[in-house]
């Protein structure tokens, strides 16, 4: 008899494998505790902190002198946007209902 309580987990794992999630960070072949993107990042938490820092810096620059720094702020925001883990956020949307069921 198959344990019905594990079915959502198996469904989730199959979905994650089929949809090619976790594409923003790639494992670093030299260091198993790190990931690579255009920057070396040790975790999704560090990625989130880096994105937040770029956005906070952009806001601070715009508050102090918005007239002369438009290009620099635009570049910082573009980097932050490129670092956002869009695929992983989609996976979290799929995971959330499974967690709420238990």
């Amino acid at each position: 008899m198959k344990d019905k309580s594990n079915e959502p987990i198996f469904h989730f794992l199959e979905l994650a494998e089929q949809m090619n999630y976790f594409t923003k960070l790639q494992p670093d072949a030299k260091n198993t505790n790190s990931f690579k993107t255009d920057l070396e990042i040790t975790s999704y938490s560090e990625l989130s902190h880096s994105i937040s820092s770029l956005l906070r810096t952009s806001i601070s620059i715009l508050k102090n002198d918005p007239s002369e720094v438009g290009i620099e702020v635009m570049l910082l925001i573009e980097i932050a946007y490129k670092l956002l883990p869009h695929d992983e956020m989609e996976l979290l949307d799929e995971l959330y209902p499974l967690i709420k069921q238990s």
Side-chain angles (χ1 to χ4, degrees), residues 41-58:
I41 303 288
T42 59
S43 66
Y44 279 94
S45 294
E46 183 180 345
L47 176 62
S48 176
H49 179 72
S50 298
I51 293 167
S52 296
S53 294
L54 286 167
L55 294 173
R56 281 194 307 270
T57 301
S58 298

Side-chain angles (χ1 to χ4, degrees), residues 13-29:
L13 292 174
E14 288 173 359
L15 178 68
E17 184 177 50
Q18 292 170 1
M19 298 303 290
N20 195 26
Y21 290 108
F22 298 107
T23 58
K24 183 57 72 175
L25 300 179
Q26 299 298 318
D28 184 349

Side-chain angles (χ1 to χ4, degrees), residues 1-12 98 101-102:
M1 180 189 300
K2 192 173 182 181
D3 184 1
K4 295 241 184 223
S5 66
N6 288 333
E7 284 182 17
I9 294 168
F10 291 125
H11 171 72
F12 169 75
L98 297 174
Q101 287 179 359
S102 44

Side-chain angles (χ1 to χ4, degrees), residues 24 37-38 47 51 76-86:
K24 183 57 72 175
T37 185
D38 294 335
L47 176 62
I51 293 167
L76 289 175
I77 293 172
E78 185 176 339
I79 291 168
Y81 178 77
K82 287 180 180 179
L83 288 172
L84 285 171
H86 300 287

